[in-house]
Every structure is written in structure tokens, then in C-alpha cells.
Amino acid sequence: MPGDALGQDRAELGRRIDTTRAHPARVYDVLLGGKDNYPVDRAAAAAALAVNPRGYLDVRHNRDFLRRAITTLTREAGIRQFLDIGTGLPTQENVHQIAQRITPDSRVVYVDNDPVVLDHARVLLASGPEGRTDYIDADLKQPARILEEAAKTLDFEQPIALVLVAVLHFIEDEEARPIVRELVKALPSGSRLVLSHLTEDLHAESIRAVQRTFTERGFTFVLRSRAEVERFFTENGLELDEPGVVPAHRWRPDGAAPLPKQVDPAYLATLDDIEKVRYLDINDVTDADINVYGVTGVKP
């Protein structure tokens, strides 16, 4: 996995980690049942669950939407290149693992600027011998730099899937829309945009309560409507894939959401709500649980 980002030593990365403030990638990791987080991140996740006890289903079904979308684009659309921005912590299956299992020579570039993510990328984001996986230490707000660095691994003459999953709700419209415009403009015909986004369209009270817990901790947290999410596609000349903009669990469900590890109920009873998350089954989801849209589209 080439790239200067992974050449940074652990001491340097350690100096960049702020354990006094919650970080979106690490809070996401908590709600996925991961262990690469800090007490401040667990406190933020606990606050979110306190106001929306089944809120972990948004996070887990967002991740399962990613699995289905990458599988579909690899198998059915023939996509062999992926640019995943705001990848987060690799708690569960990542884009390269999904794509390269189907097509071993797939190329994947991840982009994130959290030093915890970067540190784990050294070990966990390793390709098989046929494919290639790289990592760019950059912020989504640096699209020109992302494109320049990604071109060292990806061929921008061939279709690329741009993956913006659960990341745009951390950026206000005046920045988010120009960023997406610049990224999509660089993609060749046949490329795809994979996007998921939190919304208040579905169950406003619960998601607004979660929004308050995060904004109190200094996060930008923008809830966008179905029409506003769709605009990321239509204003950039992209055509929506079926079934369009839908709640994440309704995007081409395949009944293959991962089952939780079975544990002794007595042991489970000893855990707090955050620790229980990794053992909870997401297959009991209902429409009342989800506040996140999933959608993909193609560049003609």
C-alpha cells in the first residue's frame, strides 16, 4: 500500500490524536461495535443512544448499504476502481475486501484525515496480490489534492466509483456542493457515485435529538431532505440507479446482513448499552428505526 501518508511514524500520528474531543470516525466505530475509540467518543455515542436507543441501526444499516452497493457495482456494473472518502475506522468489511473478493484486481483508494484511521490503515487495508489499495491522508474539503493523489493509483480514463458514505452530513451546503461538483467533474463516463446521508424526513424527533447531542460536542451535523440528497446527483448530471433515494435498509435488500456473534445471555446482561452494540442483531430493523438514505447514480 504505497503513499507518504503511511510512512508517518506512530509517534507523529500519536501527536495528532486529540483524545479530549469526540471525533465522528471514532463515534462511528463505537456504534459499529469497534474498539478503536476513546472515552470521549464512547460518551458521545452513549448520549446519542440515550435519546435514540435504536440509533445504532442507522449506523449498522448504513454500513450494510455500503456492502450491497459495492457488491452491486462490482458484479453488475463492472466497476473495478473505488475512491472512498471519509472511510472511517475499518471495524467491519471495507470496500477493498468486498470488491477484491469478487474481482481480485480491483483498485481502491481510501481518504481520511483522522490519525487513528491512518494508523490502523497500515495493517488492515492490505490488498491481495492482484489488486491495489492505497490511502490518502487528506480532508474531504481538499478535493483537488485528493484527485491529484488518487490519480497515482486510479486510472481516471476508466470508470470509478466515488464513495461518500455518511460523510456529507458533517459539511454545510456552501462547501459540500462545490466539493461534490469538483469530484464528480473529474470522473469519466460510466463512473458511479455511492452516497448515504442522514435525514429528518423519516423520524424527525429522534434524529433531531441525536443532532443536538453531536452539535453540543462541536460537530457540524446537517440533516438533508430526500430532495436535497437527490440534488447531489441531478445538479451534477448523474442519473439515479434504481430504486433511487430510499431509506438505507430499503436499497436492494439481499437478506445477507451479518448476524451477530452469539454470546451467553448472562454475560450480555453485565454489559452497558455501548458494549452491547456489537452483539445486537440488525435484522430486526423496521422502517421506524432508520433515518439515513442510501443512493447510487451513474455519470452518463
Side-chain angles (χ1 to χ4, degrees):
M1 180 168 42
D4 292 341
L6 296 183
Q8 299 180 56
D9 62 40
R10 299 194 74 172
E12 180 184 349
L13 291 173
R15 286 190 292 271
R16 288 174 53 188
I17 299 172
D18 183 355
T19 62
T20 67
R21 296 183 61 187
H23 189 285
R26 300 194 307 256
V27 176
Y28 188 66
D29 178 66
V30 174
L31 294 171
L32 285 172
K35 299 179 180 179
D36 299 307
N37 47 70
Y38 296 94
V40 67
D41 306 306
R42 292 190 285 276
L49 287 183
V51 296
N52 185 18
R54 285 172 67 80
Y56 65 90
L57 288 166
D58 274 332
V59 175
R60 299 273 296 278
H61 276 281
N62 173 76
R63 194 71 179 182
D64 200 54
F65 158 73
L66 175 68
R67 174 188 65 80
R68 299 193 309 277
I70 299 305
T71 298
T72 298
L73 295 186
T74 305
R75 284 181 175 163
E76 298 180 13
I79 299 294
R80 300 292 179 264
Q81 302 187 105
F82 301 84
L83 178 57
D84 183 1
I85 304 179
T87 182
L89 290 156
T91 303
Q92 299 185 4
E93 281 206 317
N94 298 279
V95 170
H96 75 287
Q97 294 165 314
I98 300 165
Q100 290 174 359
R101 183 165 55 242
I102 300 167
T103 307
D105 63 352
S106 295
R107 294 188 171 203
V108 180
V109 173
Y110 294 101
V111 181
D112 210 298
N113 69 337
D114 178 46
V116 175
V117 179
L118 179 58
D119 190 32
H120 285 271
R122 299 171 186 271
V123 178
L124 297 174
L125 301 183
S127 284
E130 300 96 333
R132 186 172 176 184
T133 305
D134 207 350
Y135 190 97
I136 300 171
D137 181 11
D139 191 283
L140 175 58
K141 296 179 182 180
Q142 302 171 294
R145 178 167 180 264
I146 289 171
L147 292 169
E148 180 182 0
E149 293 296 318
K152 297 175 182 178
T153 301
L154 305 178
D155 178 1
F156 276 76
E157 298 297 319
Q158 299 297 322
I160 295 169
L162 171 62
V163 181
L164 297 174
V165 166
V167 64
L168 289 175
H169 43 246
F170 297 115
I171 304 179
E172 297 285 359
D173 254 14
E174 59 268 23
E175 290 185 291
R177 296 198 179 278
I179 288 168
V180 175
R181 185 182 310 122
E182 185 170 350
L183 292 169
V184 171
K185 184 179 180 180
L187 301 177
S189 175
S191 293
R192 282 325 211 266
L193 173 59
V194 180
L195 189 152
S196 67
H197 202 294
L198 286 168
T199 183
E200 60 184 349
D201 285 356
L202 305 174
H203 310 288
E205 184 177 350
S206 62
I207 196 62
R208 285 174 185 161
V210 172
Q211 181 185 43
R212 285 193 296 273
T213 69
F214 286 131
T215 55
E216 288 168 359
R217 287 164 172 79
F219 293 1
T220 298
F221 206 84
V222 183
L223 302 173
R224 292 187 171 96
S225 68
R226 183 183 184 280
E228 289 170 328
V229 171
E230 188 171 311
R231 271 186 59 204
F232 283 114
F233 292 79
T234 56
E235 69 187 6
N236 291 302
L238 301 175
E239 299 174 357
L240 297 183
D241 295 322
E242 290 293 335
V245 181
V246 295
H249 68 307
R250 294 291 185 185
W251 194 92
R252 304 192 188 189
D254 60 3
L259 294 171
K261 178 182 178 181
Q262 296 300 305
V263 295
D264 185 338
Y267 169 71
L268 194 64
T270 68
L271 304 179
D272 63 26
D273 290 342
I274 290 298
E275 293 172 322
K276 287 178 182 176
V277 164
R278 70 174 60 96
Y279 303 114
L280 298 177
D281 188 356
I282 69 170
N283 291 285
D284 66 345
V285 65
T286 70
D287 289 346
D289 294 317
I290 298 300
N291 295 284
V292 60
Y293 284 130
V295 55
T296 71
V298 61
K299 184 172 183 178

